[in-house]
Amino acid sequence: MLINLSIKNYALIDNLNVNFTGGFTTITGETGAGKSILLGGLSLVLGKRADMTSLKDKGSRCVIEAVFDIKNYNLESFFSEHDLEYDSNTIVRREIHPGGKSRAFVNDSPLTLDILTQLGKRLVDIHSQHQTLQLTEHDFQLKLIDAFADNTKILNSYNTKLVKYKATLQEFDELIEFQKNANKEHDYNTFLLNELDAVYLEDGLQEKLEDQYQQLNNVEAVLENLSKGNHLLRDEQIGIVSLLQELKLISGKLSVIGSKFANLKERIDSVFIELKDIAEEIQILQESIEPDPGKLEEINTKLQVIYDLQRKHDVSNVSELIVIRESLTNKVSATQNLEDEIQNKRNLLEAQKNALDKDANLLSVRRKTVIPEIKEKLEHSLHSLGLPNATFNIEVIPTEDYKINGIDTLVFLFSANKGSDYNTLKKVASGGELSRIMLVIKSILARYEQLPTLMFDEIDSGVSGEISNRMGDIMQEMSRNMQVFSITHLPQIASKGDHHFKVFKTDKGDSTQTQMKELLEDERVFELAEMLGGKSLSESALAHARELLN
């Protein structure tokens, strides 16, 4: 509920501060007095885009602030979701600076224009000629049916399932697309993997093969040098082992003479043991190594395969080839397992679709059930608003498409006169008829939904007399459960307000200002009399005004 509106430096408004209460509030004023300016300022604080031309003083900032009582609006989750400070008396402020910059705040917390617009829709519903066109839209018409059928819980369940279904469907489509591309690469990846697997790659393989190749490729030189080494070590005349054996005997004789010679003997014995071991190893190597052209060719072939693979994959060692082999293994495995994953996703889609269909079909049934009663209420209300022959033809037709509000297409046809063909509201309803239909729909919605503050901007345009009186009754009745404003030119409607405000212009120096005030009882009489008979107040007009108020 709007409880205060403050506007500074906006259009013709210098400084305006107005308090409001619940119930039905009517706003009147001469054409051009600034009622549209008031709505424009309120629209800005609800998220409308700012315009620099709206500043009264181009050198000062414009500040519009509205205070709302939102304790019954169930907005705690909205505030929490957008990281805003919640207060049952919430202050929404909009600032437009001379440089063109616009800022918005809720309880002094800054927020984006998009979030402010979302919040604004939950606080005030401004009904204008533009909004009347919503009446011709499928979603708005379906909202009426769902409110009447009390479909909120089912719609929430349906929407939750629809979000999951669409997410799964996207994942399924991505898998199918991935499979198309994967199948193209699968054979090539398999070929590359088989090439790498054939080599039995392991860390150190290349170094091991290169060492074996060098040995076999130089086997004659190796054997020749091993033979020379063996001769130098084992020759009976000049062999190092024989000479060292003789040195060992000499050191043994010296060791008995003194401790220093015993230490020398130990060192010579140690060298002798090591040298004898070396001689035996050379002997073993000499006997074990022999030319093997076949083995040499085999190792050379393996090395060439490794070198070719390194060039092919643009790497420099076997470790990098192993990494590539693992990557290819994963790709080939993923492609091979893809069909199972696709089938699992297909099964999940089927289960989600069945659950979605259950809610969608229930929505269709409930909508069809309430259509006769809605039709009767709409027609009955419109008959009292000067459309005695107004009738509707409403049908719910299920389709195959999953939309945000179900699978139904709504046929919402109207005829204002006897014998006239039914057609869509957009084609056959006049502006005045649309306004009356919208008022009736809003009144029905108010009984079944917790609507925000509702502001009608000249919804009574084009009607008069008893019809306007009935329209006022409808708005007055709606205000028992919600805050309702009506900007009107008709005294019959203005008189029904629990509160009556007048918008007027005054001249101050060289400037004109728009102001607004709540009228007292006597002031209301004069205002209604002027609306009835013009500036020259006659006794009959005053009497009629008092009669309207009573």
Side-chain angles (χ1 to χ4, degrees):
M1 180 174 74
L2 178 64
I3 57 179
N4 177 266
L5 179 64
S6 170
I7 302 176
K8 296 179 181 178
N9 193 34
Y10 176 73
L12 295 180
I13 298 175
D14 185 26
N15 192 342
L16 178 68
N17 191 294
V18 190
N19 293 318
F20 300 105
T21 57
F24 185 30
T25 299
T26 56
I27 301 173
T28 61
E30 295 179 359
T31 301
K35 297 185 295 296
S36 61
I37 294 173
L38 181 70
L39 274 181
L42 181 60
S43 298
L44 279 176
V45 87
L46 297 175
K48 180 184 174 183
R49 294 204 168 273
D51 184 354
M52 268 293 294
T53 59
S54 60
L55 270 63
K56 188 174 191 296
D57 178 358
K58 306 301 182 187
S60 302
R61 68 174 179 167
C62 165
V63 179
I64 303 172
E65 189 172 277
V67 183
F68 295 91
D69 178 357
I70 62 170
K71 60 178 176 289
N72 297 322
Y73 281 29
N74 299 319
L75 288 174
E76 290 88 347
S77 59
F78 180 90
F79 277 69
S80 176
E81 179 185 349
H82 297 289
D83 197 25
L84 299 172
E85 182 182 346
Y86 177 83
D87 193 316
S88 58
N89 274 11
T90 282
I91 302 172
V92 184
R93 186 172 78 255
R94 187 80 182 275
E95 298 179 357
I96 306 169
H97 295 262
K101 186 177 180 181
S102 169
R103 302 180 68 193
F105 303 86
V106 170
N107 296 327
D108 287 328
S109 298
L111 74 166
T112 65
L113 196 59
D114 179 59
I115 296 174
L116 177 60
T117 302
Q118 293 179 48
L119 177 60
K121 290 177 180 178
R122 290 164 169 82
L123 298 177
V124 180
D125 179 2
I126 299 178
H127 175 88
S128 61
Q129 186 176 4
H130 168 72
Q131 199 208 34
T132 301
L133 296 177
Q134 278 188 332
L135 182 57
T136 66
E137 296 173 0
H138 172 272
D139 288 348
F140 184 84
Q141 295 167 353
L142 208 52
K143 180 181 177 183
L144 168 66
I145 309 294
D146 286 328
F148 206 93
D150 193 20
N151 282 339
T152 301
K153 287 184 179 179
I154 304 172
L155 273 170
N156 290 339
S157 172
Y158 170 86
N159 281 316
T160 299
K161 292 170 184 174
L162 180 61
V163 169
K164 293 179 180 178
Y165 176 77
K166 286 185 174 180
T168 304
L169 185 60
Q170 182 177 348
E171 292 169 0
F172 178 77
D173 291 341
E174 289 173 354
L175 280 175
I176 295 296
E177 187 63 28
F178 177 76
Q179 186 185 43
K180 290 179 183 177
N181 297 326
N183 286 338
K184 296 175 185 176
E185 299 177 3
H186 178 68
D187 291 343
Y188 182 59
N189 287 337
T190 303
F191 170 74
L192 294 177
L193 180 60
N194 290 337
E195 277 188 329
L196 293 170
D197 282 342
V199 185
Y200 301 104
L201 296 171
E202 60 182 20
D203 287 328
L205 174 64
Q206 182 177 344
E207 292 78 6
K208 178 182 176 182
L209 290 174
E210 287 174 342
D211 183 63
Q212 291 176 341
Y213 178 83
Q214 289 297 324
Q215 181 176 304
L216 287 171
N217 195 45
N218 298 282
V219 66
E220 294 179 358
V222 169
L223 288 173
E224 181 182 350
N225 286 296
L226 286 175
S227 177
K228 287 180 180 180
N230 192 38
H231 177 72
L232 288 172
L233 287 169
R234 293 180 177 276
D235 188 272
E236 293 183 358
Q237 301 298 323
I238 60 170
I240 298 173
V241 174
S242 298
L243 294 175
L244 195 57
Q245 177 71 38
E246 187 176 342
L247 181 60
K248 181 182 177 187
L249 292 173
I250 293 171
S251 66
K253 294 175 181 179
L254 289 172
S255 64
V256 298
I257 298 174
S259 60
K260 65 173 66 176
F261 299 114
N263 183 50
L264 181 63
K265 178 184 180 300
E266 290 177 1
R267 292 174 64 190
I268 292 172
D269 286 346
S270 177
V271 171
F272 178 77
I273 293 169
E274 179 68 17
L275 192 62
K276 188 176 181 182
D277 187 61
I278 291 172
E280 290 175 357
E281 186 169 346
I282 288 176
Q283 181 72 31
I284 292 169
L285 286 172
Q286 188 178 6
E287 292 173 354
S288 65
I289 293 176
E290 59 182 19
D292 190 344
K295 183 70 173 177
L296 178 63
E297 181 62 28
E298 178 186 340
I299 292 173
N300 181 57
T301 300
K302 288 182 179 179
L303 282 172
Q304 290 306 316
V305 171
I306 290 174
Y307 296 150
D308 289 343
L309 288 172
Q310 288 174 348
R311 283 192 294 272
K312 186 172 188 175
H313 294 282
D314 194 24
V315 296
S316 58
N317 55 61
V318 170
S319 295
E320 290 177 288
L321 285 176
I322 292 173
V323 172
I324 292 172
R325 182 186 63 188
E326 291 173 351
S327 174
L328 287 169
T329 300
N330 292 335
K331 288 180 180 179
V332 171
S333 176
T335 305
Q336 291 170 341
N337 297 330
L338 197 56
E339 192 57 47
D340 289 340
E341 190 175 352
I342 288 174
Q343 186 57 47
N344 291 337
K345 199 68 73 175
R346 188 178 283 114
N347 293 340
L348 178 59
L349 271 176
E350 186 67 23
Q352 290 179 333
K353 184 177 184 298
N354 290 337
L356 200 56
D357 286 340
K358 184 178 179 181
D359 281 351
N361 292 331
L362 181 57
L363 283 171
S364 296
V365 170
R366 292 173 66 93
R367 287 164 176 166
K368 290 176 182 177
T369 302
V370 300
I371 282 177
E373 189 176 354
I374 290 177
K375 182 176 180 296
E376 191 276 330
K377 285 184 179 295
L378 285 174
E379 291 172 354
H380 175 76
S381 297
L382 288 175
H383 293 170
S384 65
L385 291 178
L387 296 173
N389 298 312
T391 56
F392 290 88
N393 182 7
I394 306 173
E395 291 184 64
V396 170
I397 304 173
T399 68
E400 297 294 324
D401 299 326
Y402 294 109
K403 293 166 284 192
I404 194 167
N405 47 20
I407 59 173
D408 297 326
T409 292
L410 184 66
V411 177
F412 200 95
L413 304 179
F414 174 71
S415 173
N417 304 297
K418 285 184 177 181
S420 298
D421 292 334
Y422 286 102
N423 213 322
T424 60
L425 289 170
K426 185 183 296 185
K427 291 184 178 179
V428 298
S430 67
E433 289 167 345
L434 283 175
S435 293
R436 279 175 269 184
I437 295 171
M438 177 61 93
L439 177 60
V440 169
I441 286 179
K442 290 285 187 183
S443 68
I444 293 175
L445 285 174
R447 299 174 203 166
Y448 298 95
E449 282 192 338
Q450 189 174 31
L451 296 178
T453 291
L454 191 56
M455 182 168 287
F456 291 107
D457 181 18
E458 298 186 5
I459 195 171
D460 49 30
S461 179
V463 299
S464 59
E466 183 55 34
I467 296 173
S468 63
N469 192 52
R470 178 57 189 145
M471 291 180 77
D473 289 339
I474 292 175
M475 286 183 270
Q476 194 175 49
E477 186 178 345
M478 290 173 66
S479 71
R480 293 174 184 171
N481 300 311
M482 61 185 297
Q483 186 184 38
V484 179
F485 289 85
S486 178
I487 297 174
T488 180
H489 285 294
L490 298 179
Q492 291 88 347
I493 291 178
S495 65
K496 294 184 182 294
D498 301 310
H499 314 280
H500 185 165
F501 285 82
K502 180 176 182 177
V503 179
F504 58 96
K505 289 193 295 188
T506 60
D507 293 331
K508 187 176 181 180
D510 295 332
S511 68
T512 300
Q513 295 185 8
T514 289
Q515 297 183 16
M516 181 178 183
K517 64 172 290 189
E518 183 173 8
L519 300 179
L520 300 175
E521 188 71 19
D522 288 343
E523 292 172 321
R524 290 188 74 177
V525 171
F526 285 110
E527 175 68 10
L528 293 174
E530 280 192 12
M531 295 173 73
L532 287 164
K535 292 290 185 181
S536 55
L537 298 178
S538 64
E539 274 302 320
S540 62
L542 289 168
H544 191 184
R546 293 187 186 96
E547 183 181 347
L548 286 174
L549 283 174
N550 291 329

